[in-house]
Amino acid sequence: MKSASQSIESGKLNFFKVMNLGMAQIVLWGGSYFLLSVLAKDIIAEMSWSYQQVYGCLSLALLVSGLLLPSVGRTIQHTDRHTVLLFSGLVMAIGLIIIGSSSNFLMFASGWVIIGIAMAMGLYDALFAAIGKRYSLNAAKSIVWITLISSLAPSVSWLFTSYILDSFGWRNTCYTYAILLIITIFPIHMHVFKNKEGNKSTLKGETLQSAVEPFRSKLYYLLSANFTLGSVITTSVIIHLIQILLHGKTEMSMVLIAISFLGPSQAMARVIELIIGKRSAIEMSFISTIIIFLGMILIFVSPIFAIPGVVVFGIGNGMRSVLRGTLPLSVYGSDNYALILGRLARLPLLAQATAPFLGGYLIQQFGMVIFLCVISFMAIVNIFLIALIKQAIEQYKLISIHE
């Protein structure tokens, strides 16, 4: 295995560039997905909006992101300029400035719509698409390193946001993040993607047919179902993790200790990925799905297993986030990879947007036990989906060889 400082491939995506991309992801995630975890309480107190209204805006952003990702994938596939990634920080900064300046809920929600656009432009799916297109199959290890670094986003962003919030208030926190995004994201992406031609796709004639065909296959639908179920399962557990642990009679002090292990355990997953990286992506996907299920069982069973359960679940979820990029790349290759990744990301993000509401509805109407049973059943279904995906991959590759 190559050392971290070695070039990933002849395109010079070395460890320094990978480190920069990982840090850019920390800033982008901190200015979007993880922002309300810290700011929501102060926003609700000042603006007198409900919890559902404030967090509903995050769901709105995820919804917008999911709807736009196929278009983002097409843009990345058809151009070598990487404009989408370059300007993602600027677009997110505009959204944060609007949120920080908002005097009514419509303005606040509008800011989150813009942030949703930026999330589609600059978070994992867009970045993986750009890297996969440019560096082909050699991008897999780069993706693992980037997610290893960016897995620190919850811990880093929560600490940073809390400090700025305590010192300057929630509005100035939004402005601070906006400035940080403007001065970091554009130069980082410009530096990483400059002076190298990508594998530009013109999508004409037979190429157009080959680009459309993957979206009509059994394999594509199975991958989409697997990614969507995985997104619903992990989002539902993470969003309601405190409630789940409290329902299991875990003391609040222990709950806070347990959830603090989530971020580091996700980083640990990336280390495991590098250690056992010789396994195929489908094997890693099966391991990840099993680990997520085992972590859930430990969390659900007893307060004694709260910390081990969160750690195991975090490892599985960390592996899953890597596989969002590496599994499609291993199956389809770099040809039209950005298009495929954009399409595959749509349903998981839409499901992620609705998961908090659906989970809350199940808990409120039927109780925590029914919610846990539903989530566990979905996890079991996802395990069987992996077996079907493995068969479909073999069939897909046989067809590709004959063609």
Side-chain angles (χ1 to χ4, degrees):
M1 184 171 61
K2 293 180 181 181
S3 68
S5 59
Q6 283 180 292
S7 173
I8 301 299
E9 57 95 41
S10 59
K12 305 294 183 184
L13 187 59
N14 55 34
F15 184 68
F16 178 73
K17 291 182 178 180
V18 169
M19 178 71 75
N20 282 336
L21 288 174
M23 291 189 294
Q25 285 295 301
I26 289 176
V27 178
L28 286 164
W29 281 100
S32 56
Y33 192 83
F34 298 113
L35 190 67
L36 284 180
S37 299
V38 180
L39 300 189
K41 183 179 178 181
D42 287 61
I43 294 171
I44 291 169
E46 179 181 329
M47 306 305 293
S48 298
W49 297 328
S50 68
Y51 177 92
Q52 288 78 11
Q53 280 181 294
V54 173
Y55 273 95
C57 290
L58 176 57
S59 293
L60 178 62
L62 290 169
L63 179 65
V64 170
S65 179
L67 291 173
L68 287 179
L69 266 171
S71 298
V72 169
R74 284 194 297 271
T75 301
I76 292 172
Q77 186 69 44
H78 298 167
T79 181
D80 295 323
R81 294 183 180 274
H82 299 287
T83 305
V84 170
L85 284 167
L86 291 177
F87 291 102
S88 58
L90 177 60
V91 175
M92 188 173 289
I94 292 171
L96 286 169
I97 291 169
I98 292 173
I99 289 170
S101 306
S102 59
S103 57
N104 56 69
F105 184 71
L106 180 60
M107 189 174 179
F108 184 80
S110 299
W112 279 101
V113 169
I114 295 173
I115 286 180
I117 296 170
M119 291 169 75
M121 293 171 64
L123 292 185
Y124 278 159
D125 297 294
L127 180 62
F128 293 166
I131 294 173
K133 174 193 170 187
R134 174 164 291 190
Y135 297 99
S136 191
L137 295 176
N138 292 314
K141 190 170 290 187
S142 303
I143 290 173
V144 175
W145 276 107
I146 290 166
T147 52
L148 170 61
I149 297 162
S150 59
S151 63
L152 299 173
S155 302
V156 173
S157 62
W158 284 338
L159 287 172
F160 176 75
T161 307
S162 297
Y163 175 77
I164 302 299
L165 176 66
D166 291 340
S167 303
F168 304 105
W170 72 269
R171 294 183 185 275
N172 287 323
T173 301
C174 292
Y175 300 146
T176 302
Y177 255 113
I179 294 169
L180 187 60
L181 285 159
I182 290 169
I183 64 176
T184 58
I185 303 305
F186 185 93
I188 286 175
H189 288 152
M190 176 63 78
H191 171 67
V192 171
F193 292 105
K194 68 179 180 180
N195 299 332
K196 187 178 188 299
E197 290 295 321
N199 301 318
K200 188 173 181 180
S201 173
T202 57
L203 295 182
K204 293 180 180 178
E206 293 182 1
T207 308
L208 175 62
Q209 178 64 25
S210 65
V212 173
E213 193 61 34
F215 306 129
R216 297 173 178 168
S217 67
K218 173 185 175 183
L219 175 58
Y220 171 78
Y221 293 122
L222 286 171
L223 284 171
S224 183
N226 173 252
F227 287 0
T228 301
L229 270 182
S231 179
V232 171
I233 292 164
T234 54
T235 301
S236 297
V237 172
I238 291 171
I239 290 292
H240 301 288
L241 184 56
I242 293 177
Q243 290 175 270
I244 293 170
L245 292 172
L246 290 174
H247 179 267
K249 308 302 181 186
T250 306
E251 296 291 333
M252 189 61 191
S253 58
M254 183 57 68
V255 168
L256 295 175
I257 294 172
I259 62 175
S260 69
F261 280 86
L262 185 61
S265 64
Q266 291 183 150
M268 190 189 306
R270 276 62 165 196
V271 176
I272 294 172
E273 187 92 11
L274 291 169
I275 293 172
I276 59 176
K278 291 185 179 180
R279 293 185 178 274
S280 68
I282 189 63
E283 289 176 326
M284 296 299 291
S285 186
F286 181 76
I287 292 170
S288 167
T289 309
I290 291 289
I291 289 176
I292 287 173
F293 180 64
L294 291 177
M296 287 166 50
I297 296 301
L298 289 173
I299 291 170
F300 298 166
V301 165
S302 170
I304 299 173
F305 301 115
I307 293 176
V310 169
V311 170
V312 172
F313 177 84
I315 291 172
N317 189 43
M319 295 172 69
R320 188 187 71 86
S321 65
V322 173
L323 288 162
R324 284 167 52 185
T326 57
L327 182 55
L329 185 62
S330 70
V331 173
Y332 295 107
S334 59
D335 292 341
N336 303 309
Y337 174 68
L339 281 172
I340 292 167
L341 201 62
R343 288 281 193 96
L344 282 173
R346 172 183 277 177
L347 277 180
L349 275 172
L350 296 179
Q352 193 175 29
T354 58
F357 293 104
L358 294 177
Y361 175 80
L362 282 174
I363 293 170
Q364 186 175 10
Q365 296 296 321
F366 304 102
M368 182 62 75
V369 173
I370 296 298
F371 167 76
L372 298 179
C373 289
V374 170
I375 295 298
S376 299
F377 175 75
M378 292 170 67
I380 293 170
V381 170
N382 222 21
I383 293 171
F384 283 103
L385 276 175
I386 296 296
L388 295 175
I389 289 170
K390 184 176 181 181
Q391 293 178 353
I393 289 174
E394 293 171 356
Q395 294 172 0
Y396 180 83
K397 289 184 175 179
L398 282 173
I399 293 171
S400 299
I401 290 171
H402 289 308
E403 290 178 349

